[in-house]
Amino acid sequence: MLIPAFQLHLTDAIQQRAVTVGKYDGVHPALTAATTGGKVFIHSPHQEQDQPQTQYLNINKQITALTAGALEPALGRDLLLVGTPNHLQAYDVHKNQDFFFKEVAEGVNVVILGIAGTCEAPLAIVGCNGSVQGFDAKGQERFWTVTGSNVSALALCDADGDGQNELLVGSEDFSIRIFKGENVISEIIETDRVIGLTPIHHTRFGYALANGTIGVYEQSVRAWRVKSKHSVGAISSYDLDGDGIPELISGWSNGRMEVRSDATGEVIYKDILPCSISGIVRGDYRCDGTDQIIVCSTEGEVRGYLPADPEVSGRQVEETAHQVAIAELSQRRQELLVELQNYDAQIKAAAGQQERGPGLPLELGGQIPAITKVAVAVRVSEEARSCSLHVQTNSEECVIRGVVIFADQVFEGESLFHYPNSPAPTADIPLKLKKDVAVMLLVKVLVALRTSAVYHVFEEELQLSRYAMYASSVRGFVSEPESYVTFATSERVSRLAMWLEHSFPDWSASAAGVGPSSDSLRAAFVSLRDGKPLIIAMTARAGGQVTIRTDSMELAADLVQEIAAYLAIEQLDCQADFPPELAAFALVLDRVDELNAARLKMTGAVADSSNVIKSMLVKAEDARILGNMPSMKKLYGRLMDLNRELVMEHEKRATNHHDLLEALRLVNTMIQRAARLRVGEPKARVVAACRQAVKANNVQALLKIIREGHA
Amino acid sequence: MEASPQANAVPAGLDPVWLANSYLTRRKFDECITLCTDLLRANPYDQAVWYIKTRALTLQDWIDDIEVEEEGVAEVLLDEHAVAKAPRPGTSLARPMTGAKGAGGGPSAAVRPMTSSGRPLTGFARPGTSARPGTSARPGTSSVEAAFGGGRPGTSRPVTSGGRFVRLGTASLNSDGSGVFINVDKLDLRKYAGRPQLARALCNYILYHEHNPKKAMELCAHATVSCNYKDWWWKAQLGKCYYQLGLLRDAEKQFLSSLKTCDIVTTSLELAKVYIRLDQPNTALEVYTQAAARHPGEVSLLLGAARVYDALNETVKGVELYKQVLQYDASNVEAIACLASFHFYTDQPEIALRFYRRLLQMGVKNAEVYNNLGLCCFYASQYDMALDCFEKAFQLADDTGMADVWYNIGQIAIGIGDLGLAYQAFKVAVSMDSSHAEALTNLGVLESRKGNLAAARSHYQAAQRAAEHAYEPWYNAALLAMREGNLEDSFKLVNKALAAFPDHTDSQELHAQLLKQFAAL
């Protein structure tokens, strides 16, 4: 149990993940959090005598993100950054003055402040719906890139160990992308929406998912993770046990606060708050020179924890190491005991059988023959339009009672249990993969004799290729899609063939008649999801021209990235045309214009009627003061009507805003796909050019950039 | 301006459109409008005439809205624009610097009277500057009743700021019989947006004649699009529309963008106004100073900054700027008046006298100036001149100013020791203006000297009701209660006095004394 160093009960509710500590006067830290009604409260215990400890800021909009920091180092004090559904405000609390007030049409989901990559000045990095933007102290846009989905978490961490901070972007499409500048250097797919990211130590960072999972990555390899039935309120990191290495600190919806070792995920300390935790921040809140970790709950309870004394904690660590060893050994002993018991029971049963009649075949208490093996394979069939996991035992007596498959990302809840109605030696488990991912399937097959109640578990591992959901169309007469992307490589055809074999389980070079010296290749596939064709072709002309024909731009982008990675191509530009998708995209752009115009009009109308309401309210109050009740009643009646109208109008605006966000997200997704059709410098160029075209509202240029890679 | 019936008769050989234009340039709007109406009746599609009539109608109702800054009751009561509710003193218009700590360096409230918002009176009555009441800084002022009152006792404020975008006395009388000239709701704004000249005239018409910022905003939006977001004027107009609609953040964005396209002084002024409404005086000051650096010698920017300093109670900084203004424009009435009052309250009546004389030279000739002159003369020991000045003030004063003149007579009477005259003068002042808090307070003091304690108390109470922000009636009443031995009342009252003026030494002493008494009890 961890004992809090201080404990405060603030009267205001604290919004989830909108807590920060800032030194607004440059010296004294103040706890800042978003509370109800679009307000921010600042609790500063180190104020001068005659100042109130808590002051409130009216934002008058839903607050989506909050952070504080030295955006302008020359200023010598922290600024408060407040994100709302369409603005980012940088506010100087000390001077009661806006630093900038920037419109962010895509909506601010999360905001952090810091130095990313080679930038010399700190940026306010904003995660929006479909994009990440960076603003400097003047509110100028310094950084812009697309992420393909709504950003839900951001962190700065030196994830590749080169001494510079990379930007970690967690998004609602379950992925954590690591950006170096505007390029994605690594992408990790997780199992749910990423709701929290925090740098821990060097290349280590922690993450939290919406399904209650927290864990730690070392570079882009997962070190550990744990899952809870509660949802994560906030994560942070701090060296609480005094060993010089920060731990991962997590706060949960049931009020639990846990400190877990960054290396093993083992709980070091814990504490329980009476209600769910909304934020964890660190700051020198007692002004004594050391940082504390400050845990805030939704009801406004604040607890601060001090790092443990290094001497005391050193002994503790030693003790815990002993304890861990003992716990491990006793666990192992328990397992062995259970196993021994099993064997005893079996031998007893066998002995009993022998007594009854030696003529019967020796059946060791339902034990299957020792030679039993289980074969697991992925089968893709074009005719059946299915991709399935085929499991077979090598004997007729041994039947499959059940199959458990564990795999990240593929199934909901990460696992699938298949239970055949009539146990047979073979089982086909249809795999309905929603996403194209290469995963390791851990298959556990429960095998038993037909009559036996004792199951044997066979564990098999199977690498599932990324494009398992595409069946090779051997006959090759799929209709050619009119959309295509084509690019030049300086590689031989056989290299591509190797890649195809590696990525498509249903394709082999020999079946397609491609040899090491072939100078052309054409592989046709059919998607098992929707029956859409996919053709990958390569000719040796111009040093190896690869053409991918598919109607799905996303698939094409994925393939281009894969091929480039496999062939180690660093710069790749391409020609592309996706007439159906681009036509749909043009419609989206029109819709953005339309929605913007409608929004402008509605904003005016609402402002107008709110002015009317204001004056009517004043008149009504006037009537009250004068004691003119009939007139007051009439005015308040009208006020209520107007109010109802305004509420309706607000609903319209909300719908409009929602549609606009969705449309903008689509625009960003399209830009991202266009960028992902390229690799290296052309990719960054496309993103930048698209941004320019979007800013200038130049639809034609935008479409041209998507097709040709430049305006 | 009388509309002569001959105006309709166009002299032979004269082009009626030319004549209409001539009327317009000579600011004979009524004639111009009648002539244009006739012409349009004959040919409704004559664009030139339509344009002239639109201009004439607009100019008739034109107000300089940069100078109009009075907020309505609704804005005061339901203001949600200010970010900080209780910012540090000196960073917000709602919490000006107070007391001795209030640095500013100006005279304290003991010398210089305060307005209800806790700032010293400036020397120049302008709309808005002294009007914004503290939101909750002062007890009681956040109530609806208090919001209805204006900056000075006995005045009131309009319901909404929209009400002040009308030129007094003209708009209401202006209904011409011919019905509505332009039915704004039926216009195809997109079509007009394509014709820059007509659109500009139309935009001003909608804003100043129709007072329909919502419609004007649509027109501006179309027009900015049609000129590819390149035209500063349209952006500034769009900002103005947003400002009038109360969408301050959008207004800010438009003004900033307009300034980026073309650096215009009025746009800077309007931008600063936005920040003042947002209660971010420091940002407003930055806008003023930066613009002033880009436009040296531009008096309106300096004045704007000086007004903000005044509102923040940083008088000395404001005075610096007023002096600069006078270097550029030696006949700026506002700067002269403010400097004069500053010098008067910093105990330099002789210098103040010179400024007021300058005002007289400028042609400002009203009761207030003579009033001030009289006071200056008196404190500069020029007694003969003082009385002459007050006589002049009496000649010029109307009902509203008369009470002040009598009050000042009373002040002088106290100064020369003629308490009888003073008593009578204050009585007259109160009879003119029953909520003249200063006169009431002084009457109270005189009554208590005479021993009429009940009368004194009732005078104090009247003064307290009339001007909750002034500390004198509270303190005097507290003193009275103390003398009567009513310690508890006295304590309450002295607390009120200290709330109004925390650094008032006498009140502090009384407070300490009372605490001692309580301890003894």
Side-chain angles (χ1 to χ4, degrees), chain B residues 18-19 48 65 81 130 180 184 198 269 272 299 301 325 332-333 344 352 437 458 477 487 495 503:
Chain B
W18 182 89
L19 185 63
D65 47 9
H81 289 302
S130 61
V180 190
V184 181
L198 281 189
L269 290 172
V299 177
L301 292 169
V325 169
N332 189 300
V333 178
F344 177 76
S458 88
L487 297 187
N495 273 336
D503 295 324

Side-chain angles (χ1 to χ4, degrees), chain A residues 609 611-645, chain B residues 144 148 159-160:
Chain A
S609 37
N611 277 347
V612 173
I613 281 194
K614 275 184 192 171
S615 61
M616 207 175 275
L617 183 65
V618 169
K619 280 180 195 158
E621 277 300 287
D622 197 19
R624 182 182 64 82
I625 292 166
L626 294 174
N628 185 353
M629 291 303 152
S631 139
M632 176 183 130
K633 195 177 159 195
K634 211 165 75 194
L635 280 163
Y636 270 117
R638 276 170 62 194
L639 204 56
M640 206 166 80
D641 291 344
L642 255 178
N643 187 48
R644 210 173 295 131
E645 247 171 63
Chain B
V144 182
F148 277 110
V159 171
T160 52

Side-chain angles (χ1 to χ4, degrees), chain A residues 19 77 224 406 414:
Chain A
V19 188
R77 56 174 184 267
W224 57 267
F406 293 96
E414 299 179 28

Side-chain angles (χ1 to χ4, degrees), chain A residues 124-321:
Chain A
I125 301 168
V126 179
C128 311
N129 290 338
S131 64
V132 176
Q133 313 188 7
F135 298 101
D136 67 7
K138 293 198 172 57
Q140 299 292 325
E141 191 179 291
R142 291 268 170 238
F143 176 81
W144 190 89
T145 191
V146 280
T147 57
S149 179
N150 297 355
V151 178
S152 48
L154 286 173
L156 286 169
C157 176
D158 180 15
D160 63 352
D162 63 351
Q164 279 176 350
N165 275 342
E166 281 80 43
L167 180 64
L168 310 180
V169 179
S171 53
E172 289 184 359
D173 64 354
F174 304 181
S175 69
I176 302 170
R177 298 184 176 85
I178 303 176
F179 280 85
K180 194 168 189 65
E182 270 138 27
N183 290 324
V184 182
I185 54 168
S186 170
E187 186 170 347
I188 303 162
I189 309 283
E190 265 301 331
T191 54
D192 204 340
R193 283 188 301 119
V194 183
I195 54 166
L197 286 170
T198 179
I200 297 181
H201 187 55
H202 293 313
T203 59
R204 255 182 215 168
F205 60 90
Y207 71 98
L209 304 182
N211 64 5
T213 305
I214 58 168
V216 164
Y217 272 97
E218 166 88 48
Q219 302 220 346
S220 37
V221 181
R222 184 159 54 213
W224 57 267
R225 62 169 171 172
V226 288
K227 195 174 166 186
S228 158
K229 65 176 193 237
H230 301 289
S231 62
V232 190
I235 56 170
S236 180
S237 66
Y238 189 58
D239 180 18
L240 264 182
D241 63 357
D243 62 354
I245 298 167
E247 287 82 47
L248 181 71
I249 301 165
S250 52
W252 300 82
S253 60
N254 62 344
R256 225 173 129 87
M257 179 277 223
E258 293 173 340
V259 182
R260 286 174 184 272
S261 145
D262 67 315
T264 59
E266 175 199 353
V267 178
I268 302 176
Y269 302 114
K270 65 188 174 197
D271 195 4
I272 293 181
L273 274 76
C275 59
S276 78
I277 290 174
S278 55
I280 302 176
V281 286
R282 49 199 274 194
D284 180 13
Y285 211 52
R286 302 202 301 184
C287 277
D288 58 1
T290 53
D291 274 4
Q292 296 103 45
I293 199 88
I294 302 166
V295 179
C296 311
S297 77
T298 46
E299 298 287 310
E301 185 174 341
V302 175
R303 290 190 187 174
Y305 299 96
L306 272 181
D309 200 336
E311 278 174 37
V312 181
S313 68
R315 220 180 316 127
Q316 265 181 347
V317 168
E318 226 165 84
E319 269 169 30
T320 49

Side-chain angles (χ1 to χ4, degrees), chain B residues 6-29:
Chain B
Q6 291 87 21
N8 288 343
V10 179
L14 205 57
D15 182 7
V17 180
W18 182 89
L19 185 63
N21 194 32
S22 165
Y23 279 138
L24 179 68
T25 47
R26 283 182 285 149
R27 301 183 68 81
K28 296 194 170 183
F29 300 126

